[in-house]
Each structure stands twice: as structure tokens, then as C-alpha cells.
Amino acid sequence: MPELPEVEAALDVLRTRARGRTIVRMRVLHPALRRRLAPSQLRALVGARIARVERRGKHQLLHLEDGRILHAHFRMNGDWMLTETGAPLPRFARAVLDFDDGSSLVFVDSRALGTIDVHPANAELDLGLGPDAADPEWSAEHLATALALRRGPIKPALLDQRLVAGLGNIYAAESLWRARISPFAPCNSLGRPQVTKLRKAIDAVLVRATGSRYTDDDTVALDVYDREGLPCRRCRTRIERVVQAGRSTYYCPHCQPKAEPKSSASAKKGARGAR
Ligand SMILES: [Zn+2]
């Protein structure tokens, strides 16, 4: 599933190949997208120029010169493909933007769950997103404040785009493994050192993944995600998989114990006593 690094890679394609181009036609090939985009909206795109491309969490915003926004989201799957206008379309092509230079941008999505919308000029766009996971301004302090208000387990919380935008199932698992935090740990039980470790781990995981599309690349291995039954890369304990809030969670029971590691137990006790 495309997460922040994959969406960022897709945005690179848009930045280099779509920015500055004028749309001569938009074709919508899948019924689900046809329901979102009225023929009049598609016609009104003719002649519009793409001024700027922006990522917010996992959302892709193509800002048109007149203020309208072409808003794409890959959801479970999806990618952009570049081709010449009129060339045979790939399987699973769901929508096509034809540009004035004879190139076309194809929205490819095997699951057909991705979305494209057009927002009118000057529309208030509320995507319900918290701070972006790649934002350097987003600090461990911000994260600690947000987590203190939540009782549920940390892993599903990291998928909540209102807590932090851009993480999905893969990089949430990788970040927790890296920070040695149990996916079951209640958010508000995490001591400050753990939250600091988690913030750093998210950063490291995203930096490592950005631009490499490493989930599709056999040469760059994930540490814990999709490794059920395989030895942990740190301690050789078998990685376990459980279903948590409807999604697979992978973790190392030794490196990510349910009980808190001793190092932060005292911090937790202190917090409890203060309450
Ligand atoms: Zn381990």
C-alpha cells in the first residue's frame, strides 16, 4: 500500500512531468471514478495548466493555475505512468490526463480503490490530517502531547492520519520495531524516552524508504513487516503476526515486549504518581 515514501516518489513524477503542462483532455475509464467526476467537470479541465504539485500525508494535490485542485489518492494501490498520448494503455488504467506536449499521465490502479476529485477554486480543503510524518517541525514533544490523550494501543493509532499523516501499515510496524515498542502498548503509557525513540524511528524509516520504493524492491529488505515466522534481524526471535484493528501487525515479541523495558519503567511510575 502506498505510504508517504511511495506517494513522495509518485509526486516526483508529477513534479517533473506534469507541472507546467496544460491539460488538453482528461479521460476517465473506471465507473467508480466516473461517479466522482462529472462530465462537465472533466470538460472544464481542458486548457487548465498545472501550476504546482503538493503532497499532504498520502494525498496528492495538483494545483491548477486558476485555483482549482485535482486531488488524487492511491488508497490501497496505484501509481502514475507516463506515456505518449494515443499509445496503448496499460492494464488497470483508470484515468488519463493528456497534455499539450503529446504526453499522457495514466492513473494505474489494479484494485480500483484510488480516487480522483476536482475541487473548485478557493475551496477550503479539510483532509482531516494531523502533522506530516516527514515534517521536521513535528517534534517528539508534539507526539508525546498527542499520545497522552489516547488510551488505545500505539500501532492502530499510528495509522490514524489525524495523529500523524503519511504512515500506513508497513512503516508503522517498521517504526515500532526500530523503537523497540510493543504494538499493544497503550499510547498514554509510553514514557518520554520511548516517544523520543519512536519519533526518531519514524524519521529513520521514512528517510530510508523515500525515493526507493523499497517495498517493491527485493534488494532492500523490511525489518519486520511481512516477516511472520522469520527470525528477528536483531535477536533471531521469530516475528509474530496478529490482527489488530482489522490490520496485520508484525512484531518481535522479544524486542517489543508487552511490558515496558526497565529503562523507561521508572519514568512511567513517576508519571502515574504525579496524577
Ligand atoms: Zn527481536
Side-chain angles (χ1 to χ4, degrees):
M1 191 209 287
E3 301 184 28
L4 190 155
E6 290 77 28
V7 174
E8 193 56 42
L11 231 70
D12 272 343
V13 174
L14 296 179
R15 281 191 196 105
T16 51
R17 305 301 293 267
R19 188 169 56 184
R21 302 267 179 276
T22 298
I23 299 168
V24 295
R25 187 159 75 128
M26 179 165 177
R27 291 175 274 164
V28 173
L29 310 171
H30 194 273
L33 285 181
R34 253 184 236 127
R35 282 194 289 275
R36 307 182 77 96
L37 295 159
S40 60
Q41 275 182 310
L42 295 176
R43 278 195 302 273
L45 288 174
V46 175
R49 191 166 164 270
I50 297 170
R52 184 164 71 84
V53 173
E54 184 194 8
R55 182 186 59 74
R56 285 194 210 164
K58 299 184 232 176
H59 298 258
Q60 302 169 54
L61 305 180
L62 290 88
H63 294 271
L64 305 182
E65 224 162 38
D66 59 19
R68 281 179 295 169
I69 298 171
L70 203 55
H71 171 197
H73 196 303
F74 287 154
R75 304 279 162 197
M76 295 304 285
N77 211 314
D79 209 351
W80 295 106
M81 215 182 130
L82 281 153
T83 172
E84 279 170 37
T85 304
L89 291 174
R91 201 179 166 203
F92 306 126
R94 304 304 186 195
V96 187
L97 280 162
D98 295 333
F99 295 132
D100 56 339
D101 65 345
S103 69
S104 292
L105 191 64
V106 186
F107 190 74
V108 185
D109 177 8
S110 60
R111 301 276 289 272
L113 292 169
T115 59
I116 303 181
D117 297 290
V118 179
H119 302 291
N122 306 315
E124 257 320 300
L125 208 55
D126 182 9
L127 302 175
L129 301 177
D132 195 273
D135 183 353
E137 305 269 290
W138 179 54
S139 65
E141 226 157 292
H142 290 129
L143 179 57
T145 306
L147 291 177
L149 302 170
R150 290 174 180 244
R151 277 190 216 111
I154 182 68
K155 161 69 190 339
L158 289 178
L159 303 185
D160 182 346
Q161 302 296 297
R162 289 168 300 180
L163 178 78
V164 53
L167 289 186
N169 211 27
I170 298 173
Y171 300 125
E174 294 292 301
S175 300
L176 288 172
W177 179 85
R178 204 176 172 100
R180 298 174 187 253
I181 294 172
S182 164
F184 312 104
C187 294
N188 60 3
S189 77
L190 297 177
R192 199 45 186 279
Q194 283 181 299
V195 176
T196 301
K197 261 199 234 163
L198 177 59
R199 175 65 192 97
K200 280 187 188 152
I202 291 170
D203 212 38
V205 164
L206 291 179
V207 164
R208 182 175 153 201
T210 297
S212 71
R213 274 194 159 271
Y214 84 148
T215 48
D216 295 337
D217 183 349
D218 292 340
T219 60
V220 189
L222 293 167
D223 285 319
V224 68
Y225 183 83
D226 206 20
R227 300 195 69 241
E228 183 182 13
L230 294 172
C232 171
R233 295 195 198 281
R234 261 192 312 243
C235 73
R236 316 302 293 167
T237 304
R238 277 167 183 267
I239 299 299
E240 288 185 11
R241 182 184 78 92
V242 293
V243 174
Q244 210 180 6
R247 309 289 302 277
S248 283
T249 290
Y250 298 88
Y251 69 105
C252 169
H254 178 77
C255 293
Q256 300 167 265
K258 280 188 193 180
E260 269 193 28
K262 273 190 187 124
S263 59
S264 53
S266 55
K268 187 186 166 189
K269 233 183 237 164
R272 253 197 209 136
R275 227 172 270 150

